[in-house]
């Protein structure tokens, strides 16, 4: 029987330089998934690639994680595979793989407990595999069960309440000043493209922003992030001269002030929201005294995320209960698979015997009308294989087979 298996490299096992080396573009992901199937290493596969994890969920016969990992490292042209191989977790049993998938998808294994982004990333990964026709029955059932579990957690617990990610909480704070439906018309400037700036940028589109501009001291980093969020790049040296274009500015840089008070005072008066997520502060505190400007600092955002974090922590037991229930349901489905497979094979065998006998009668006599003789011959053919096995079985094995037949077919 095939099993559901997985390979995982994540923030829990690997530093950022290793995770970055195993990032996949959409084109690379498609090519890798198709190569696994072409080499008959898997019956189906889904590749999950984010800034915090690279994971392959797949259906295969036998323990195949080592082979799939070898293919993955070769695909990414890793020059010293042992350095990476030791960082991967291997899941080779269907039940443990499914349990891990649920914990990842719900956000129990995220850097930010209950991370809202991960379920969307898993949905996109599954959809890509589905479009490429690289999914399989086990993968389909596992991912559909994950989506059902996520919905239950959302509806039955407080685990999804609020935002515990600083980037997400910052954007939620913006909606205190501008209605969410208006954000598509607002110009957003993100200053700094480190981990926090990246977090803000990746959430921005989900809040409705369509005009996203990034600036960073290293323009290469800004350009790399802009390509993933469909954003624009503003050279850092030109930033202060361009501020009047933006209604929302979020500073995620460290190292002191990046916008001067005179620059802000000379901006055309207009409603603007400035979020200073830097430590030490990068925007003068006096900016909040300027007409039209609302300034929010990191303390305000942090107090919100800490309260949400505590709420989520109190919900973990409820989340684990739901995961356990869904895992039991998945296990029951797995146990039913051999029965379904056997019945399918039995149906195929019976259909083949009937079709063969009918065709033989037509070919030999030209009689296309079923007759008692045809019925009798077909029955004999159907019984020949099980009768032969019964006759050649002795003792307790024969008794077990007889009892099974009597139970299955309700014979007296």
């Amino acid at each position: 029987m095939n099993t559901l298996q997985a390979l995982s490299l994540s923030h829990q096992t690997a530093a950022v330089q290793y995770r970055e080396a195993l990032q996949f573009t959409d084109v690379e992901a498609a090519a890798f998934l198709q190569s696994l199937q072409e080499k008959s290493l898997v019956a189906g596969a889904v590749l999950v690639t984010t800034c915090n994890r690279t994971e392959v969920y797949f259906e295969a016969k036998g323990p195949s994680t080592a082979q799939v990992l070898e293919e993955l490292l070769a695909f990414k042209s890793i020059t010293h595979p042992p350095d990476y191989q030791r960082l991967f977790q291997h899941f080779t049993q269907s039940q443990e793989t499914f349990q891990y998938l649920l914990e990842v998808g719900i956000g129990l294994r995220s850097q930010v407990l209950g991370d809202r982004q991960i379920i969307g990333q898993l949905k996109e990964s599954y959809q890509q595999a589905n479009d490429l026709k690289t999914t399989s029955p086990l993968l389909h059932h596992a991912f559909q069960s994950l989506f059902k579990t996520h919905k239950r957690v959302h509806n039955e617990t407080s685990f999804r309440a609020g935002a515990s990610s600083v980037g997400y909480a910052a954007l939620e704070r913006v909606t205190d000043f501008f209605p969410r439906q208006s954000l598509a018309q607002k110009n957003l400037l993100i200053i700094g493209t480190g981990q926090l700036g990246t977090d803000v940028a990746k959430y921005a589109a989900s809040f409705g922003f369509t005009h996203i501009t990034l600036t960073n001291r290293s323009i290469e980093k800004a350009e790399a992030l802009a390509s993933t969020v469909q954003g624009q790049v503003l050279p850092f040296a030109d930033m202060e001269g361009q501020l009047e274009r933006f209604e929302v500015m979020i500073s995620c840089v460290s190292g002191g002030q990046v916008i001067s008070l005179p620059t802000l005072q000379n901006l055309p008066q207009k409603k603007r929201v400035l979020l200073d997520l830097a430590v030490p502060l990068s925007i003068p505190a006096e900016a909040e005294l300027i007409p039209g400007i609302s300034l929010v600092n990191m303390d305000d955002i942090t107090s919100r995320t800490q309260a949400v974090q505590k709420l989520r922590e109190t919900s973990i037991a409820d989340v684990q209960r739901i995961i356990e229930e869904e895992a039991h349901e998945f296990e029951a489905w797995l146990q039913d698979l051999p029965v379904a497979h056997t019945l399918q094979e039995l149906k195929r065998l019976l259909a083949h015997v009937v079709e063969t006998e009918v065709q033989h009668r037509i070919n030999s006599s030209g009689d296309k009308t079923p007759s008692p003789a045809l019925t009798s011959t077909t029955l004999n053919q159907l019984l020949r294989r099980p009768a032969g096995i019964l006759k050649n079985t002795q003792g307790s094995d024969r008794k077990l087979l007889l009892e099974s037949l009597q139970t299955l077919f309700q014979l007296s």
Side-chain angles (χ1 to χ4, degrees):
M1 286 290 291
N2 286 355
T3 55
L4 182 66
Q5 303 182 45
L7 284 165
S8 171
L9 176 137
S10 72
H11 65 92
Q12 293 179 308
T13 63
V16 65
Q17 66 267 29
Y18 295 101
R19 304 200 305 269
E20 286 178 345
L22 294 180
Q23 295 276 294
F24 283 72
T25 65
D26 286 345
V27 173
E28 287 177 329
F32 175 67
L33 290 173
Q34 290 169 331
S35 73
L36 289 180
Q37 280 202 322
E38 288 167 1
K39 295 176 181 179
S40 300
L41 292 176
V42 300
V46 174
L47 175 66
V48 179
T49 178
T50 74
C51 59
N52 282 329
R53 63 184 67 246
T54 294
E55 297 179 333
V56 188
Y57 296 90
F58 59 95
E59 178 181 338
K61 189 173 184 178
S64 308
T65 52
Q67 288 178 289
V68 174
L69 178 54
E70 185 179 329
E71 289 292 322
L72 186 150
L73 296 178
F75 186 92
K76 292 300 289 182
S77 302
I78 298 301
T79 55
H80 198 259
D83 289 346
Y84 289 80
Q85 288 168 339
R86 61 185 175 80
L87 302 174
F88 275 84
Q89 292 177 281
H90 294 245
F91 302 89
T92 59
Q93 301 300 316
S94 295
Q95 196 63 20
E96 67 167 350
T97 303
F98 180 66
Q99 179 92 15
Y100 178 75
L101 174 62
L102 292 188
E103 291 174 2
V104 169
I106 300 306
L108 287 176
R109 290 180 176 264
S110 297
Q111 276 188 317
V112 176
L113 184 66
D115 178 24
R116 295 187 180 199
Q117 266 194 309
I118 185 62
I119 189 65
Q121 291 163 337
L122 284 164
K123 284 181 178 178
E124 289 173 5
S125 298
Y126 176 74
Q127 187 59 54
Q128 180 190 39
N130 205 37
D131 292 343
L132 293 168
K133 302 189 187 314
T134 65
T135 54
S136 65
L138 268 178
L139 283 168
H140 175 75
H141 195 85
F143 274 82
Q144 293 306 314
S145 296
L146 165 64
F147 303 147
K148 173 191 168 189
T149 305
H150 175 264
K151 188 173 182 179
R152 283 192 63 191
V153 169
H154 179 79
N155 292 337
E156 298 175 27
T157 75
S158 299
F159 193 66
R160 289 292 181 184
S164 59
S165 159
V166 170
Y168 195 96
L171 291 163
E172 272 196 335
R173 191 72 173 89
V174 172
T175 64
D176 292 340
F177 302 94
F178 292 119
R180 191 159 181 160
Q181 61 268 27
S182 73
L183 296 183
Q185 285 74 51
K186 306 301 179 185
N187 292 297
L188 168 64
L189 174 65
I190 300 171
I191 307 168
T193 56
Q195 185 61 52
L196 182 53
T198 298
D199 192 31
V200 172
K202 290 187 174 180
Y203 279 124
S206 66
F207 272 78
F209 282 103
T210 56
H211 307 294
I212 303 169
T213 301
L214 306 167
T215 187
N216 193 66
R217 290 187 177 92
S218 167
I219 196 167
E220 291 80 11
K221 286 187 176 181
E223 288 172 343
L225 180 57
S227 67
T228 67
V229 298
Q230 287 76 53
Q232 303 295 315
V233 174
L234 174 63
F236 193 79
D238 299 340
M239 178 186 63
E240 284 203 292
Q242 298 289 324
L243 291 183
E244 66 179 65
R245 293 198 285 123
F246 302 99
E247 293 88 3
V248 181
M249 306 173 210
I250 303 179
S251 177
C252 307
V253 296
S254 57
Q257 192 175 107
V258 294
I259 302 176
S260 69
L261 183 61
T263 298
L264 293 171
Q265 290 171 329
N266 290 328
L267 292 177
Q269 188 169 332
K270 183 179 184 180
K271 185 176 180 180
R272 304 178 196 272
V273 178
L274 279 60
L275 281 77
D276 192 350
L277 308 184
V279 179
L281 296 177
S282 59
I283 299 173
E286 295 84 357
E288 65 181 352
L289 302 176
I290 301 172
I293 289 181
S294 299
L295 178 63
V296 178
N297 64 33
M298 190 62 154
D299 287 344
D300 177 53
I301 303 298
T302 302
S303 63
R304 286 190 173 203
T305 58
Q306 287 174 342
V308 168
Q309 188 78 0
K310 289 180 181 178
L311 180 62
R312 289 187 177 180
E313 288 170 357
T314 63
S315 301
I316 288 178
D318 290 332
V319 173
Q320 290 174 331
R321 173 185 53 80
I322 291 172
I323 286 177
E324 186 176 345
E325 290 172 0
E326 294 298 330
H328 283 317
E329 189 172 313
F330 185 75
E331 184 176 14
W333 179 79
L334 284 176
Q335 291 174 350
D336 285 344
L337 273 183
V339 176
H341 177 75
T342 300
L343 290 175
Q344 187 177 32
E345 289 300 307
L346 179 60
K347 183 178 180 180
R348 186 179 292 115
L349 171 64
L350 297 179
H352 174 72
V353 171
V354 171
E355 182 181 344
T356 300
E357 289 303 317
V358 169
Q359 192 62 48
H360 176 70
R361 180 55 59 93
I362 291 173
N363 291 340
S364 61
S365 66
D367 182 9
K368 297 183 180 181
T369 304
S371 66
L374 175 59
T375 302
S376 177
T377 303
T378 303
L379 285 173
N380 288 334
Q381 287 289 339
L382 290 174
L383 289 171
R384 180 179 298 170
R385 185 183 296 185
I389 293 172
L390 274 172
K391 288 176 181 178
N392 291 317
T393 305
Q394 302 295 325
S396 60
D397 288 341
R398 173 180 281 190
K399 182 180 179 183
L400 179 61
L401 285 174
L402 286 170
E403 289 175 349
S404 297
L405 282 171
Q406 289 165 353
T407 301
L408 285 171
F409 293 99
Q410 297 183 338
L411 305 175
S412 57

